């Protein structure tokens, strides 16, 4: 249920940014979410819909762009994975380095002026 | 319109206020995270006893219910305040901010903040700490860094606890270290047993050195 706190913060940021822009109904909030964040998009959408009720973001869609983790295999080179793993997707060997996948950002919002 | 803002900014803002307050009083803060039952409170008790006369330790305990842990800590003769988070699965920064009012920070060099037992949400919420420590006991299994990568990525120190039980459980410390370092190459890792005392001097020496570095 960690999505609830995230949904509340998401709403605060979206509303304050829209206000800075001069207000208007928010039609979409675009996010970048790393796979290490363990966020279930359906939960986040449901909870955002709940916290946004009665606000200018009430009908906003959450567009979630997933950020993969980059597995750096010494033999095969870097590869992106949509689930956290230490195994190289190509050769299956465990890798000693995994980068990225920890973003949790609002990239933009769409406003109906 | 472009925004590009990190979510949980409100938590980061409170975290910044906590950091400023601790810096003004020269307090070094440790945010201690683990699953329930990994031995966080026991580690803190060991630290209090080992650092007595060297560092003035205070403790803020986070639990969903009860003040059992704060009472346990006070028996060691140090200040302790209990936060009850009720429905929240982690210490929220605003709760920590008000808890700081209940601790004499001028009489504190080293503040342990024991988070609610949970490897998920505490990883997401900065508490203005100087160092984040994640503890993992050998009875929990060596796959934890694979299952909960974020907490291992965001922590500075990993403490593998209850190593005296290694002969009785299937737990490969090397597997844990490799997985933790894969997401966090700079992570410092200590293996300790509060029962036998093994590994504690190295860990507590490191925390003392980090505390000295901040507070001179």
């Amino acid at each position: 249920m960690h999505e609830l706190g995230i949904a509340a913060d998401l709403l605060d940021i979206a509303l304050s940014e829209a206000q800075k822009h001069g207000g208007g109904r928010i039609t979409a909030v675009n996010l970048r979410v790393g796979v290490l964040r363990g966020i279930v998009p359906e939960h986040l959408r449901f909870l955002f819909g709940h916290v946004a009720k009665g606000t200018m973001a009430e009908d906003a869609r959450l567009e979630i762009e997933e950020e993969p983790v980059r597995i750096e295999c010494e033999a095969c080179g870097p590869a992106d994975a949509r689930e956290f793993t230490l195994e190289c997707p190509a050769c299956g060997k465990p890798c000693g380095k995994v980068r990225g996948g920890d973003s949790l950002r609002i990239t933009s919002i769409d406003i109906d002026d | 319109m472009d925004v590009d803002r990190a979510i949980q900014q409100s938590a980061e803002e409170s975290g910044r206020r906590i950091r400023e307050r601790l810096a003004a009083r020269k307090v070094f803060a440790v945010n201690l995270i683990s699953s329930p039952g990994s031995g966080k409170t026991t580690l803190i008790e060991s630290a209090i006893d080992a650092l007595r006369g060297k560092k003035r330790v205070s403790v803020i305990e986070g639990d969903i219910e009860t003040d059992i842990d704060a009472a346990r800590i006070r028996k060691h003769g140090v200040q302790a305040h209990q936060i009850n988070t009720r429905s929240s699965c982690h210490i929220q920064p605003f709760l920590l901010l008000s808890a700081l009012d209940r601790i004499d920070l001028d009489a504190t060099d080293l503040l342990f903040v024991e988070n609610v037992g949970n490897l998920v949400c505490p990883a997401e919420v900065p508490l203005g700490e100087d160092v984040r420590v994640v503890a993992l006991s050998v009875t929990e299994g060596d796959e934890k860094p694979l299952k909960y990568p974020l907490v291992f990525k965001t922590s500075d120190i990993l403490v593998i606890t209850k190593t005296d039980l290694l002969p009785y459980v299937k737990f490969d410390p090397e597997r844990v270290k490799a997985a933790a370092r894969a997401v966090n190459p700079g992570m410092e890792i200590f293996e300790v047993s509060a029962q036998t005392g093994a590994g504690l001097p190295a860990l507590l020496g490191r925390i003392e050195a980090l505390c000295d570095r901040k507070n001179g």
Side-chain angles (χ1 to χ4, degrees):
Chain A
M1 282 300 280
H2 66 148
E3 285 89 354
L4 183 55
I6 292 167
D9 258 25
L10 197 57
L11 177 67
D12 283 348
I13 294 173
L15 291 175
S16 74
E17 289 289 337
Q19 201 65 43
K20 275 191 226 163
H21 185 70
R25 292 202 79 78
I26 300 169
T27 55
V29 180
N30 303 300
L31 311 173
R32 184 169 172 83
V33 178
V35 301
L36 298 193
R37 287 282 170 176
I39 285 172
V40 181
E42 292 75 18
H43 280 179
L44 188 58
R45 286 201 180 91
F46 172 79
L47 292 165
F48 182 78
H50 182 72
V51 296
K53 269 199 189 108
T55 73
M56 296 297 272
E58 186 163 29
D59 301 315
R61 282 176 295 126
L62 287 193
E63 295 288 348
I64 300 172
E65 177 202 355
E66 200 175 65
E67 179 186 78
V69 283
R70 175 148 292 186
I71 317 288
E72 298 190 354
C73 177
E74 281 182 16
C76 311
D80 286 347
R82 296 186 58 188
E83 269 175 33
F84 178 65
T85 172
L86 294 182
E87 284 164 17
C88 169
C91 70
K93 289 209 182 102
C95 302
K97 208 179 266 181
V98 175
R99 288 181 193 276
D102 57 343
S103 289
L104 181 59
R105 306 185 72 80
I106 294 188
T107 49
S108 62
I109 57 179
D110 300 345
I111 296 173
D112 199 0
D113 300 289
Chain B
M1 59 180 285
D2 288 343
V3 174
D4 195 34
R5 277 179 63 174
I7 298 165
Q8 299 210 311
Q9 213 131 351
S10 59
E12 280 165 19
E13 168 62 22
S14 307
R16 192 181 55 74
R17 285 170 59 198
I18 294 167
R19 208 157 36 243
E20 285 172 1
R21 216 154 131 196
L22 295 176
R25 308 308 245 310
K26 294 194 168 185
V27 174
F28 180 83
V30 177
N31 180 3
L32 182 53
I33 298 173
S34 81
S35 315
S38 303
K40 292 185 291 303
T41 315
T42 303
L43 262 186
I44 293 171
E45 288 179 298
S46 303
I48 293 167
D49 293 341
L51 298 174
R52 198 180 303 281
K54 295 197 262 186
K55 296 284 171 223
R56 294 167 301 167
V57 176
S58 299
V59 182
I60 292 177
E61 286 287 339
D63 277 298
I64 289 176
E65 297 286 356
T66 82
D67 65 351
I68 291 171
D69 280 358
R72 194 171 139 190
I73 293 296
R74 277 187 212 110
K75 286 188 182 149
H76 294 261
V78 303
Q79 297 185 72
H81 177 68
Q82 180 80 47
I83 296 174
N84 282 141
T85 59
R86 308 291 178 193
S87 63
S88 178
C89 54
H90 58 280
I91 295 179
Q92 287 162 312
F94 73 90
L95 286 176
L96 181 58
L97 256 181
S98 56
L100 291 179
D101 294 337
R102 311 291 296 273
I103 295 284
D104 182 358
L105 295 175
D106 289 326
T108 302
D109 303 309
L110 173 56
L111 175 69
F112 281 101
V113 179
E114 181 180 335
N115 223 308
V116 179
N118 177 356
L119 286 176
V120 184
C121 310
E124 297 171 348
V125 182
L127 292 177
E129 66 265 25
D130 294 287
V131 67
R132 183 177 291 191
V133 177
V134 58
L136 174 66
S137 62
V138 302
T139 53
E140 290 169 70
D142 53 19
E143 77 296 348
K144 287 292 175 293
L146 298 170
K147 288 184 172 174
Y148 304 92
L150 192 66
V151 73
F152 292 90
K153 184 167 180 135
T154 60
S155 296
D156 306 292
I157 294 176
L158 163 62
V159 184
I160 299 173
T161 61
K162 308 190 191 182
T163 53
D164 53 295
L165 297 179
L166 273 172
Y168 312 105
V169 293
K170 221 178 135 195
F171 182 96
D172 178 2
E174 297 312 313
R175 188 178 180 218
V176 169
K177 291 181 196 172
R181 289 209 167 108
V183 291
N184 186 352
M187 189 168 225
E188 295 181 53
I189 303 177
F190 296 88
E191 296 174 66
V192 308
S193 162
Q195 285 302 312
T196 67
L200 282 175
L203 170 67
L204 300 174
R206 181 64 181 142
I207 289 178
E208 194 184 350
L210 289 167
C211 182
D212 283 340
R213 193 194 287 174
K214 183 181 185 192
N215 299 334

PDB file of all heavy atoms in Angstrom, chain A residues 60-89:
ATOM      1  N   ALA A  60      -8.000  13.089 -14.295  1.00  0.00           N
ATOM      2  CA  ALA A  60      -6.695  12.945 -14.959  1.00  0.00           C
ATOM      3  C   ALA A  60      -6.318  11.478 -15.128  1.00  0.00           C
ATOM      4  O   ALA A  60      -6.540  10.658 -14.241  1.00  0.00           O
ATOM      5  CB  ALA A  60      -5.623  13.680 -14.152  1.00  0.00           C
ATOM      6  N   ARG A  61      -5.725  11.178 -16.270  1.00  0.00           N
ATOM      7  CA  ARG A  61      -5.167   9.840 -16.500  1.00  0.00           C
ATOM      8  C   ARG A  61      -3.734   9.836 -15.972  1.00  0.00           C
ATOM      9  O   ARG A  61      -3.043  10.847 -16.047  1.00  0.00           O
ATOM     10  CB  ARG A  61      -5.085   9.544 -18.008  1.00  0.00           C
ATOM     11  CG  ARG A  61      -6.382   9.143 -18.678  1.00  0.00           C
ATOM     12  CD  ARG A  61      -6.154   8.988 -20.163  1.00  0.00           C
ATOM     13  NE  ARG A  61      -5.825  10.250 -20.686  1.00  0.00           N
ATOM     14  CZ  ARG A  61      -4.872  10.773 -21.393  1.00  0.00           C
ATOM     15  NH1 ARG A  61      -4.186  10.256 -21.740  1.00  0.00           N
ATOM     16  NH2 ARG A  61      -4.561  11.939 -21.786  1.00  0.00           N
ATOM     17  N   LEU A  62      -3.310   8.711 -15.471  1.00  0.00           N
ATOM     18  CA  LEU A  62      -1.891   8.557 -15.123  1.00  0.00           C
ATOM     19  C   LEU A  62      -1.235   7.793 -16.257  1.00  0.00           C
ATOM     20  O   LEU A  62      -1.600   6.649 -16.528  1.00  0.00           O
ATOM     21  CB  LEU A  62      -1.710   7.756 -13.839  1.00  0.00           C
ATOM     22  CG  LEU A  62      -2.062   8.411 -12.510  1.00  0.00           C
ATOM     23  CD1 LEU A  62      -1.507   7.561 -11.367  1.00  0.00           C
ATOM     24  CD2 LEU A  62      -1.530   9.818 -12.423  1.00  0.00           C
ATOM     25  N   GLU A  63      -0.299   8.454 -16.923  1.00  0.00           N
ATOM     26  CA  GLU A  63       0.457   7.775 -17.989  1.00  0.00           C
ATOM     27  C   GLU A  63       1.807   7.394 -17.401  1.00  0.00           C
ATOM     28  O   GLU A  63       2.604   8.264 -17.058  1.00  0.00           O
ATOM     29  CB  GLU A  63       0.649   8.705 -19.189  1.00  0.00           C
ATOM     30  CG  GLU A  63      -0.651   9.097 -19.888  1.00  0.00           C
ATOM     31  CD  GLU A  63      -1.266   7.948 -20.678  1.00  0.00           C
ATOM     32  OE1 GLU A  63      -0.572   6.912 -20.862  1.00  0.00           O
ATOM     33  OE2 GLU A  63      -2.439   8.087 -21.086  1.00  0.00           O
ATOM     34  N   ILE A  64       2.014   6.097 -17.257  1.00  0.00           N
ATOM     35  CA  ILE A  64       3.213   5.630 -16.558  1.00  0.00           C
ATOM     36  C   ILE A  64       4.215   5.039 -17.540  1.00  0.00           C
ATOM     37  O   ILE A  64       3.935   4.036 -18.187  1.00  0.00           O
ATOM     38  CB  ILE A  64       2.838   4.594 -15.476  1.00  0.00           C
ATOM     39  CG1 ILE A  64       1.880   5.249 -14.467  1.00  0.00           C
ATOM     40  CG2 ILE A  64       4.095   4.066 -14.787  1.00  0.00           C
ATOM     41  CD1 ILE A  64       1.289   4.299 -13.461  1.00  0.00           C
ATOM     42  N   GLU A  65       5.341   5.706 -17.649  1.00  0.00           N
ATOM     43  CA  GLU A  65       6.420   5.183 -18.485  1.00  0.00           C
ATOM     44  C   GLU A  65       7.352   4.403 -17.574  1.00  0.00           C
ATOM     45  O   GLU A  65       7.859   4.920 -16.580  1.00  0.00           O
ATOM     46  CB  GLU A  65       7.174   6.360 -19.134  1.00  0.00           C
ATOM     47  CG  GLU A  65       8.354   5.944 -19.966  1.00  0.00           C
ATOM     48  CD  GLU A  65       9.370   7.091 -20.150  1.00  0.00           C
ATOM     49  OE1 GLU A  65       9.083   8.231 -19.705  1.00  0.00           O
ATOM     50  OE2 GLU A  65      10.426   6.820 -20.698  1.00  0.00           O
ATOM     51  N   GLU A  66       7.553   3.131 -17.920  1.00  0.00           N
ATOM     52  CA  GLU A  66       8.361   2.274 -17.066  1.00  0.00           C
ATOM     53  C   GLU A  66       9.848   2.459 -17.382  1.00  0.00           C
ATOM     54  O   GLU A  66      10.232   2.456 -18.551  1.00  0.00           O
ATOM     55  CB  GLU A  66       7.954   0.828 -17.351  1.00  0.00           C
ATOM     56  CG  GLU A  66       8.314  -0.132 -16.277  1.00  0.00           C
ATOM     57  CD  GLU A  66       7.754  -1.503 -16.614  1.00  0.00           C
ATOM     58  OE1 GLU A  66       8.189  -2.102 -17.623  1.00  0.00           O
ATOM     59  OE2 GLU A  66       6.882  -1.966 -15.874  1.00  0.00           O
ATOM     60  N   GLU A  67      10.635   2.640 -16.350  1.00  0.00           N
ATOM     61  CA  GLU A  67      12.084   2.731 -16.565  1.00  0.00           C
ATOM     62  C   GLU A  67      12.708   1.378 -16.239  1.00  0.00           C
ATOM     63  O   GLU A  67      12.598   0.889 -15.111  1.00  0.00           O
ATOM     64  CB  GLU A  67      12.670   3.801 -15.634  1.00  0.00           C
ATOM     65  CG  GLU A  67      14.178   3.937 -15.784  1.00  0.00           C
ATOM     66  CD  GLU A  67      14.748   4.892 -14.743  1.00  0.00           C
ATOM     67  OE1 GLU A  67      14.903   4.489 -13.584  1.00  0.00           O
ATOM     68  OE2 GLU A  67      15.011   6.038 -15.112  1.00  0.00           O
ATOM     69  N   PRO A  68      13.364   0.767 -17.206  1.00  0.00           N
ATOM     70  CA  PRO A  68      13.949  -0.558 -16.948  1.00  0.00           C
ATOM     71  C   PRO A  68      15.201  -0.460 -16.090  1.00  0.00           C
ATOM     72  O   PRO A  68      15.708   0.634 -15.855  1.00  0.00           O
ATOM     73  CB  PRO A  68      14.304  -1.064 -18.355  1.00  0.00           C
ATOM     74  CG  PRO A  68      14.517   0.172 -19.161  1.00  0.00           C
ATOM     75  CD  PRO A  68      13.643   1.247 -18.565  1.00  0.00           C
ATOM     76  N   VAL A  69      15.685  -1.586 -15.632  1.00  0.00           N
ATOM     77  CA  VAL A  69      17.024  -1.613 -15.030  1.00  0.00           C
ATOM     78  C   VAL A  69      17.999  -2.035 -16.118  1.00  0.00           C
ATOM     79  O   VAL A  69      17.647  -2.819 -16.998  1.00  0.00           O
ATOM     80  CB  VAL A  69      17.155  -2.619 -13.848  1.00  0.00           C
ATOM     81  CG1 VAL A  69      16.531  -2.071 -12.603  1.00  0.00           C
ATOM     82  CG2 VAL A  69      16.599  -3.975 -14.187  1.00  0.00           C
ATOM     83  N   ARG A  70      19.203  -1.507 -16.031  1.00  0.00           N
ATOM     84  CA  ARG A  70      20.220  -1.879 -17.020  1.00  0.00           C
ATOM     85  C   ARG A  70      21.162  -2.893 -16.386  1.00  0.00           C
ATOM     86  O   ARG A  70      21.834  -2.614 -15.393  1.00  0.00           O
ATOM     87  CB  ARG A  70      20.970  -0.640 -17.485  1.00  0.00           C
ATOM     88  CG  ARG A  70      22.107  -0.963 -18.418  1.00  0.00           C
ATOM     89  CD  ARG A  70      22.325   0.125 -19.426  1.00  0.00           C
ATOM     90  NE  ARG A  70      21.224   0.224 -20.370  1.00  0.00           N
ATOM     91  CZ  ARG A  70      21.230   1.035 -21.428  1.00  0.00           C
ATOM     92  NH1 ARG A  70      22.249   1.818 -21.653  1.00  0.00           N
ATOM     93  NH2 ARG A  70      20.208   1.071 -22.252  1.00  0.00           N
ATOM     94  N   ILE A  71      21.176  -4.082 -16.982  1.00  0.00           N
ATOM     95  CA  ILE A  71      22.037  -5.160 -16.495  1.00  0.00           C
ATOM     96  C   ILE A  71      23.338  -5.068 -17.283  1.00  0.00           C
ATOM     97  O   ILE A  71      23.302  -5.056 -18.514  1.00  0.00           O
ATOM     98  CB  ILE A  71      21.413  -6.541 -16.809  1.00  0.00           C
ATOM     99  CG1 ILE A  71      19.931  -6.569 -16.519  1.00  0.00           C
ATOM    100  CG2 ILE A  71      22.158  -7.665 -16.119  1.00  0.00           C
ATOM    101  CD1 ILE A  71      19.558  -6.556 -15.093  1.00  0.00           C
ATOM    102  N   GLU A  72      24.453  -4.966 -16.571  1.00  0.00           N
ATOM    103  CA  GLU A  72      25.722  -4.838 -17.291  1.00  0.00           C
ATOM    104  C   GLU A  72      26.502  -6.138 -17.226  1.00  0.00           C
ATOM    105  O   GLU A  72      27.163  -6.435 -16.235  1.00  0.00           O
ATOM    106  CB  GLU A  72      26.508  -3.655 -16.732  1.00  0.00           C
ATOM    107  CG  GLU A  72      25.733  -2.376 -16.954  1.00  0.00           C
ATOM    108  CD  GLU A  72      26.522  -1.122 -16.662  1.00  0.00           C
ATOM    109  OE1 GLU A  72      27.657  -1.236 -16.172  1.00  0.00           O
ATOM    110  OE2 GLU A  72      25.980  -0.031 -16.936  1.00  0.00           O
ATOM    111  N   CYS A  73      26.387  -6.908 -18.298  1.00  0.00           N
ATOM    112  CA  CYS A  73      27.054  -8.212 -18.364  1.00  0.00           C
ATOM    113  C   CYS A  73      28.444  -8.021 -18.960  1.00  0.00           C
ATOM    114  O   CYS A  73      28.599  -7.364 -19.987  1.00  0.00           O
ATOM    115  CB  CYS A  73      26.228  -9.169 -19.218  1.00  0.00           C
ATOM    116  SG  CYS A  73      27.014 -10.777 -19.430  1.00  0.00           S
ATOM    117  N   GLU A  74      29.446  -8.607 -18.307  1.00  0.00           N
ATOM    118  CA  GLU A  74      30.820  -8.439 -18.794  1.00  0.00           C
ATOM    119  C   GLU A  74      31.002  -9.064 -20.164  1.00  0.00           C
ATOM    120  O   GLU A  74      31.759  -8.568 -20.993  1.00  0.00           O
ATOM    121  CB  GLU A  74      31.807  -9.062 -17.808  1.00  0.00           C
ATOM    122  CG  GLU A  74      32.052  -8.161 -16.618  1.00  0.00           C
ATOM    123  CD  GLU A  74      33.064  -8.732 -15.644  1.00  0.00           C
ATOM    124  OE1 GLU A  74      33.788  -9.674 -16.030  1.00  0.00           O
ATOM    125  OE2 GLU A  74      33.107  -8.233 -14.507  1.00  0.00           O
ATOM    126  N   ALA A  75      30.301 -10.156 -20.416  1.00  0.00           N
ATOM    127  CA  ALA A  75      30.458 -10.857 -21.688  1.00  0.00           C
ATOM    128  C   ALA A  75      29.588 -10.242 -22.791  1.00  0.00           C
ATOM    129  O   ALA A  75      30.047 -10.015 -23.905  1.00  0.00           O
ATOM    130  CB  ALA A  75      30.118 -12.333 -21.504  1.00  0.00           C
ATOM    131  N   CYS A  76      28.311  -9.967 -22.470  1.00  0.00           N
ATOM    132  CA  CYS A  76      27.361  -9.588 -23.523  1.00  0.00           C
ATOM    133  C   CYS A  76      27.145  -8.081 -23.628  1.00  0.00           C
ATOM    134  O   CYS A  76      26.496  -7.606 -24.555  1.00  0.00           O
ATOM    135  CB  CYS A  76      26.009 -10.257 -23.293  1.00  0.00           C
ATOM    136  SG  CYS A  76      26.133 -12.018 -22.971  1.00  0.00           S
ATOM    137  N   GLY A  77      27.635  -7.316 -22.650  1.00  0.00           N
ATOM    138  CA  GLY A  77      27.387  -5.874 -22.666  1.00  0.00           C
ATOM    139  C   GLY A  77      26.081  -5.547 -21.961  1.00  0.00           C
ATOM    140  O   GLY A  77      25.451  -6.413 -21.367  1.00  0.00           O
ATOM    141  N   PRO A  78      25.673  -4.269 -22.046  1.00  0.00           N
ATOM    142  CA  PRO A  78      24.475  -3.863 -21.303  1.00  0.00           C
ATOM    143  C   PRO A  78      23.181  -4.339 -21.960  1.00  0.00           C
ATOM    144  O   PRO A  78      23.108  -4.454 -23.183  1.00  0.00           O
ATOM    145  CB  PRO A  78      24.558  -2.339 -21.306  1.00  0.00           C
ATOM    146  CG  PRO A  78      25.441  -1.984 -22.451  1.00  0.00           C
ATOM    147  CD  PRO A  78      26.321  -3.154 -22.734  1.00  0.00           C
ATOM    148  N   ALA A  79      22.190  -4.629 -21.117  1.00  0.00           N
ATOM    149  CA  ALA A  79      20.861  -4.997 -21.623  1.00  0.00           C
ATOM    150  C   ALA A  79      19.826  -4.475 -20.642  1.00  0.00           C
ATOM    151  O   ALA A  79      20.099  -4.382 -19.435  1.00  0.00           O
ATOM    152  CB  ALA A  79      20.748  -6.511 -21.746  1.00  0.00           C
ATOM    153  N   ASP A  80      18.672  -4.095 -21.154  1.00  0.00           N
ATOM    154  CA  ASP A  80      17.611  -3.585 -20.288  1.00  0.00           C
ATOM    155  C   ASP A  80      16.671  -4.707 -19.873  1.00  0.00           C
ATOM    156  O   ASP A  80      16.383  -5.603 -20.654  1.00  0.00           O
ATOM    157  CB  ASP A  80      16.800  -2.497 -21.013  1.00  0.00           C
ATOM    158  CG  ASP A  80      17.591  -1.195 -21.100  1.00  0.00           C
ATOM    159  OD1 ASP A  80      18.619  -1.093 -20.404  1.00  0.00           O
ATOM    160  OD2 ASP A  80      17.190  -0.304 -21.860  1.00  0.00           O
ATOM    161  N   ALA A  81      16.209  -4.637 -18.617  1.00  0.00           N
ATOM    162  CA  ALA A  81      15.260  -5.647 -18.146  1.00  0.00           C
ATOM    163  C   ALA A  81      14.072  -4.942 -17.508  1.00  0.00           C
ATOM    164  O   ALA A  81      14.232  -3.926 -16.836  1.00  0.00           O
ATOM    165  CB  ALA A  81      15.926  -6.574 -17.137  1.00  0.00           C
ATOM    166  N   ARG A  82      12.901  -5.480 -17.731  1.00  0.00           N
ATOM    167  CA  ARG A  82      11.695  -4.868 -17.192  1.00  0.00           C
ATOM    168  C   ARG A  82      11.344  -5.416 -15.819  1.00  0.00           C
ATOM    169  O   ARG A  82      10.387  -4.996 -15.193  1.00  0.00           O
ATOM    170  CB  ARG A  82      10.531  -5.079 -18.164  1.00  0.00           C
ATOM    171  CG  ARG A  82      10.777  -4.362 -19.496  1.00  0.00           C
ATOM    172  CD  ARG A  82       9.588  -4.436 -20.386  1.00  0.00           C
ATOM    173  NE  ARG A  82       8.418  -3.857 -19.738  1.00  0.00           N
ATOM    174  CZ  ARG A  82       7.199  -3.933 -20.249  1.00  0.00           C
ATOM    175  NH1 ARG A  82       6.994  -4.569 -21.382  1.00  0.00           N
ATOM    176  NH2 ARG A  82       6.182  -3.388 -19.615  1.00  0.00           N
ATOM    177  N   GLU A  83      12.128  -6.395 -15.374  1.00  0.00           N
ATOM    178  CA  GLU A  83      11.978  -6.874 -14.007  1.00  0.00           C
ATOM    179  C   GLU A  83      13.348  -6.934 -13.387  1.00  0.00           C
ATOM    180  O   GLU A  83      14.329  -7.229 -14.074  1.00  0.00           O
ATOM    181  CB  GLU A  83      11.348  -8.271 -14.006  1.00  0.00           C
ATOM    182  CG  GLU A  83       9.842  -8.210 -13.926  1.00  0.00           C
ATOM    183  CD  GLU A  83       9.218  -9.576 -14.040  1.00  0.00           C
ATOM    184  OE1 GLU A  83       9.823 -10.553 -13.572  1.00  0.00           O
ATOM    185  OE2 GLU A  83       8.123  -9.641 -14.613  1.00  0.00           O
ATOM    186  N   PHE A  84      13.409  -6.685 -12.103  1.00  0.00           N
ATOM    187  CA  PHE A  84      14.711  -6.678 -11.461  1.00  0.00           C
ATOM    188  C   PHE A  84      15.308  -8.072 -11.469  1.00  0.00           C
ATOM    189  O   PHE A  84      14.677  -9.046 -11.070  1.00  0.00           O
ATOM    190  CB  PHE A  84      14.609  -6.172 -10.024  1.00  0.00           C
ATOM    191  CG  PHE A  84      15.931  -6.207  -9.333  1.00  0.00           C
ATOM    192  CD1 PHE A  84      16.959  -5.399  -9.776  1.00  0.00           C
ATOM    193  CD2 PHE A  84      16.152  -7.052  -8.275  1.00  0.00           C
ATOM    194  CE1 PHE A  84      18.204  -5.438  -9.166  1.00  0.00           C
ATOM    195  CE2 PHE A  84      17.396  -7.098  -7.648  1.00  0.00           C
ATOM    196  CZ  PHE A  84      18.412  -6.292  -8.100  1.00  0.00           C
ATOM    197  N   THR A  85      16.518  -8.165 -11.944  1.00  0.00           N
ATOM    198  CA  THR A  85      17.221  -9.432 -11.985  1.00  0.00           C
ATOM    199  C   THR A  85      18.704  -9.138 -12.016  1.00  0.00           C
ATOM    200  O   THR A  85      19.110  -8.041 -12.396  1.00  0.00           O
ATOM    201  CB  THR A  85      16.829 -10.246 -13.237  1.00  0.00           C
ATOM    202  OG1 THR A  85      17.687 -11.377 -13.319  1.00  0.00           O
ATOM    203  CG2 THR A  85      16.974  -9.425 -14.520  1.00  0.00           C
ATOM    204  N   LEU A  86      19.504 -10.107 -11.613  1.00  0.00           N
ATOM    205  CA  LEU A  86      20.946  -9.955 -11.762  1.00  0.00           C
ATOM    206  C   LEU A  86      21.446 -10.820 -12.906  1.00  0.00           C
ATOM    207  O   LEU A  86      22.633 -10.868 -13.190  1.00  0.00           O
ATOM    208  CB  LEU A  86      21.658 -10.365 -10.465  1.00  0.00           C
ATOM    209  CG  LEU A  86      21.413  -9.490  -9.242  1.00  0.00           C
ATOM    210  CD1 LEU A  86      22.210 -10.004  -8.063  1.00  0.00           C
ATOM    211  CD2 LEU A  86      21.779  -8.047  -9.544  1.00  0.00           C
ATOM    212  N   GLU A  87      20.514 -11.531 -13.556  1.00  0.00           N
ATOM    213  CA  GLU A  87      20.941 -12.439 -14.617  1.00  0.00           C
ATOM    214  C   GLU A  87      20.890 -11.745 -15.961  1.00  0.00           C
ATOM    215  O   GLU A  87      19.905 -11.082 -16.299  1.00  0.00           O
ATOM    216  CB  GLU A  87      20.025 -13.667 -14.635  1.00  0.00           C
ATOM    217  CG  GLU A  87      20.344 -14.612 -13.505  1.00  0.00           C
ATOM    218  CD  GLU A  87      19.229 -15.618 -13.256  1.00  0.00           C
ATOM    219  OE1 GLU A  87      18.380 -15.787 -14.152  1.00  0.00           O
ATOM    220  OE2 GLU A  87      19.223 -16.194 -12.165  1.00  0.00           O
ATOM    221  N   CYS A  88      21.939 -11.929 -16.746  1.00  0.00           N
ATOM    222  CA  CYS A  88      21.991 -11.342 -18.081  1.00  0.00           C
ATOM    223  C   CYS A  88      20.877 -11.960 -18.930  1.00  0.00           C
ATOM    224  O   CYS A  88      20.761 -13.188 -19.004  1.00  0.00           O
ATOM    225  CB  CYS A  88      23.351 -11.633 -18.703  1.00  0.00           C
ATOM    226  SG  CYS A  88      23.413 -11.235 -20.448  1.00  0.00           S
ATOM    227  N   PRO A  89      20.046 -11.130 -19.578  1.00  0.00           N
ATOM    228  CA  PRO A  89      18.949 -11.675 -20.380  1.00  0.00           C
ATOM    229  C   PRO A  89      19.460 -12.507 -21.557  1.00  0.00           C
ATOM    230  O   PRO A  89      18.765 -13.401 -22.033  1.00  0.00           O
ATOM    231  CB  PRO A  89      18.210 -10.437 -20.895  1.00  0.00           C
ATOM    232  CG  PRO A  89      18.693  -9.287 -20.079  1.00  0.00           C
ATOM    233  CD  PRO A  89      20.055  -9.659 -19.565  1.00  0.00           C
TER     234      PRO A  89
END
